[in-house]
Amino acid sequence: MTATTEKAGDVLRRKGTGGLVVLTAYDFPTARLLDEAGADALLVGDSLGMMVLGFPDTTEVTLDHMLHHVAAVARAGPRALIVGDMPIHTYDTPEQALDTARALVAAGAEAVKLEGGVRQEQKVAAIVAAGIPVMGHLGMLPQRVREEGGYSRKGKTPEQSDALLEGARALVRAGVFAIVLESVVVATARRLTAEIPVPMIGIGCGDARCDGEVAVIQDVLGAFPWFVPPFVKPEADLAGATREAVARHIARVRKT
Ligand code: KIV
């Protein structure tokens, strides 16, 4: 069974058509702008930790942080699907996973996302059984960065590729409507996109041509210059524009 509200169903039906656009949003004005620009889904990702809260990675993000930002995005009333990320250690058991998902939905999320494959099957099934759409996340799992000692590409060997496929199948059995695939080598990302019946939404998967792409909005806008992942292709230089605008403002104020 897949829990699909109308909006999550729209995403699911885009399997095989390509071009699904998922962007992170953590606040009201960004959510409005991205929705007006035509994004298909807004992910209130736990990348919030680095992009907004100043943490080194996602592992210090709490459910309270997420609820605060999901609510801000929901106030924008977007047409796009709002997906709320489940922070680390908020889905350690199926019961806890369901409580967390319900809290995110109460704050305004229309779907939730969690990281991992086979070991999350029961948790995804519990959330889906309650009628809440779930997005999976496979490949490089940012919540495991400390355990793994850094970020690395996944799916390089046939064994790793098979394990990812097995994880994706477990998530589909449990009822996910889409899966984020992060930092997976092209051949494996193509294999999963071809074999898995729900949209695979890539990030850092090269030219794998998944069913869509998810991007951190600061990366698209060039708004977070202190760390830019190597696969990112910024479409603007908001950091530069901000520095220049503020320098002009400071010059004007100091002259008066
Ligand atoms: O938290 C996030 O923004 C994410 C995306 C990078 C997929 O999980």
Side-chain angles (χ1 to χ4, degrees):
M1 186 184 71
T2 302
T4 52
T5 57
E6 201 180 316
K7 286 189 188 180
D10 287 345
V11 171
L12 176 60
R13 280 187 287 279
R14 298 271 296 276
K15 174 68 193 178
T17 66
L20 267 168
V21 176
V22 183
L23 290 167
T24 66
Y26 317 103
D27 59 58
F28 173 89
T30 309
R32 277 196 76 165
L33 289 169
L34 303 189
D35 193 50
E36 286 166 16
D40 297 303
L42 302 179
L43 170 64
V44 190
D46 60 0
S47 50
L48 168 77
M50 297 89 91
M51 294 300 126
V52 177
L53 302 179
F55 293 131
D57 55 45
T58 64
T59 63
E60 292 177 52
V61 174
T62 65
L63 182 56
D64 280 348
H65 293 140
M66 293 303 302
L67 296 176
H68 187 253
H69 289 269
V70 165
V73 166
R75 273 179 220 116
R79 169 205 40 77
L81 175 74
I82 303 173
V83 184
D85 232 346
M86 297 177 56
I88 189 167
H89 297 316
T90 67
Y91 52 100
D92 289 343
T93 64
E95 295 73 25
Q96 188 196 22
L98 182 54
D99 286 349
T100 300
R102 284 187 164 138
L104 287 164
V105 168
E110 297 164 310
V112 297
K113 177 169 84 57
L114 52 72
E115 297 184 7
V118 173
R119 69 191 179 122
Q120 309 303 16
E121 187 172 344
Q122 298 313 315
K123 299 161 196 172
V124 172
I127 301 169
V128 168
I132 300 171
V134 180
M135 180 179 274
H137 186 152
L138 290 172
M140 213 285 294
L141 303 179
Q143 291 176 6
R144 290 220 214 139
V145 66
R146 294 195 185 184
E147 278 161 59
E148 294 193 2
Y151 299 100
S152 63
R153 282 175 82 66
K154 304 293 179 187
K156 291 186 196 154
T157 64
E159 294 74 25
Q160 288 172 7
S161 177
D162 289 348
L164 282 171
L165 191 62
E166 195 193 342
R169 286 187 176 136
L171 292 175
V172 170
R173 269 197 307 275
V176 296
F177 71 96
I179 299 175
V180 166
L181 202 55
E182 179 160 358
S183 293
V184 169
V185 298
V186 171
T188 298
R190 285 195 178 145
R191 181 180 179 207
L192 267 74
T193 302
E195 296 196 23
I196 293 299
V198 303
M200 301 301 299
I201 302 173
I203 177 166
C205 297
D207 66 352
R209 298 194 157 275
C210 295
D211 300 299
E213 280 187 32
V214 52
V216 171
I217 192 58
Q218 282 77 5
D219 291 342
V220 176
L221 299 177
F224 195 87
W226 308 281
F227 175 71
V228 182
F231 56 83
V232 165
K233 297 187 184 82
E235 301 287 354
D237 177 18
L238 234 60
T242 303
R243 285 175 173 142
E244 284 168 26
V246 173
R248 285 195 298 275
H249 175 80
I250 289 172
R252 183 180 61 73
V253 172
R254 291 199 176 139
K255 230 189 310 167
T256 55

